[in-house]
Amino acid sequence: MSVIDDLQSALAGEHAAVYGYGVIGGRLSGSKKAQALAGLNEHRSTRDQLSRLIVSRGAEPVPAEPSYVVDVSTGQQSQLVSTAIKIEDRLCVRYANLVLNTDQGARTLAIAQLQGCAVRSALWSKTAQAFPGLVEATPQP
Amino acid sequence: MRPISRRGVLSGLTLGVALGVTGISLSACSSEKTVVKTAVDQGSLNQVFAAEASLLALATSSGLTRVSKIHQAHLNALTAAGAQPPTPDAAGALKQLARGQRRQADLCSSLALSASPRVAQLLASIAASNAALAALASSSA
């Protein structure tokens, strides 16, 4: 995959994250709601950053889908938190792939966003992973 | 019946004296526990205890069994004399840990920028993991 493909993949993930955080943020309350809204703002900012980077490389950024499937069937806080963790963990994989590119702009952004997603995932789950984004390297319990 | 040799008698006497001295020394230590009343004594004992505990940890991690035993004996004697082990500063230790993890995340991130793709990916993931650990440590401190 080219650097543009990896950037577009990350952007598609950010579109989904913005949508997902909007859905779960509207159903959470208290400090968890504030945490979701902070995540929503960070993903919006990254989405815009990625769009600019793609445009600067001469390509057209992928648009957001009209809607995404977000499982909030039970509406319980544990399910909403679990959805937030999934959003962050999936993005970790996309940013870890983006790091493989030697394009400095893309790699710099990917390293920073891999950290951002790993931190948010850890704050939701109250546990950190040994190798965020690298599924095959994670030690099994 | 074998006659007791002069050498055997001497050895027995030496052992007896040694035991006697040890007994005096131990009783002195245990009576010291009740005697320690000044703040200066208490402070001195506590300070030496903390230093001995560090030395014991270093000796143990270096696999120096004999040296570890000696430092452990010092700690036992200090405790018997009234030293009070310092209360662990859990919050301070967590802050220190978080600082170290953040430094490690920064180091890995900066090295990942110029590394070859696979090494960059590994370093970026370790950076993200350390950033997540630091965030968790900060939130519990």
Side-chain angles (χ1 to χ4, degrees), chain B residues 48-58 71 75 86:
Chain B
V48 174
F49 185 96
E52 280 292 340
S54 304
L55 292 172
L56 174 62
L58 283 172
H71 286 301
L75 285 172

Side-chain angles (χ1 to χ4, degrees), chain B residues 8-55:
Chain B
V9 171
L10 280 176
S11 301
L13 280 173
T14 310
L15 182 64
V17 169
L19 282 172
V21 168
T22 308
I24 291 163
S25 163
L26 281 174
S27 64
C29 275
S30 50
S31 66
E32 198 75 21
K33 189 171 186 175
T34 54
V35 170
V36 172
K37 284 203 164 69
T38 68
V40 174
D41 276 354
Q42 189 68 68
S44 302
L45 288 169
N46 292 352
Q47 195 179 337
V48 174
F49 185 96
E52 280 292 340
S54 304
L55 292 172

